[in-house]
Amino acid sequence: MYAIITFICGLLFGLGLAFSEMTNPAVVLGFLDVFGNWNPSLIIVMASAIAVGMIGYLIKGKRLAPFVASKWQVPTLRQIDSKLIIGSALFGIGWGISGYCPGPGLTALVNNPSEGIYFVIALIVGSAAHHFQTRAVKM
């Protein structure tokens, strides 16, 4: 049941990305271009995502466990540290340069493979660099 619900949630998420045009880097870059030719259409997408998140937290407050898992998986860290700031900055810079974040970036392998392959390679290289860097710090 967990796999089926996970698949359905992923499918809904992907359809939402496609329907909202979050998979189109021109739309995303237009939204991020606040001082130029700004396209505010993604505000509706953000508001919808916030509403869904709020509903999720309301459900979490009323249930001891999710419907198909034994416990809630909610972040517990509350501190703002250099790792959070640097990671957020790198994510934002990458998103602003390419117009892709990881979910829509993977769809680019199908929608726009000539751009998507470069994004996915950069995503893999960045993830590997982070993995090896954090592993080296722990040693």
Side-chain angles (χ1 to χ4, degrees), residues 49-131:
I50 291 168
V52 168
M54 289 175 66
I55 291 168
Y57 272 96
L58 286 172
I59 292 170
K60 180 192 171 291
K62 300 204 181 294
R63 294 185 51 87
L64 294 175
F67 295 108
V68 294
S70 60
K71 67 177 187 169
W72 293 102
Q73 300 287 328
V74 179
T76 57
L77 294 178
R78 300 273 184 228
Q79 66 191 41
I80 297 174
D81 60 4
S82 61
K83 288 192 272 185
L84 176 65
I85 292 171
I86 292 168
S88 300
L90 289 173
F91 179 89
I93 290 167
W95 196 17
I97 289 171
S98 69
Y100 293 116
C101 65
L106 292 175
T107 67
L109 289 173
V110 175
N111 298 343
N112 190 1
S114 61
E115 280 184 14
I117 191 69
Y118 296 113
F119 176 81
V120 172
I121 289 170
L123 179 67
I124 292 168
V125 168
S127 297
H130 175 265
H131 171 75

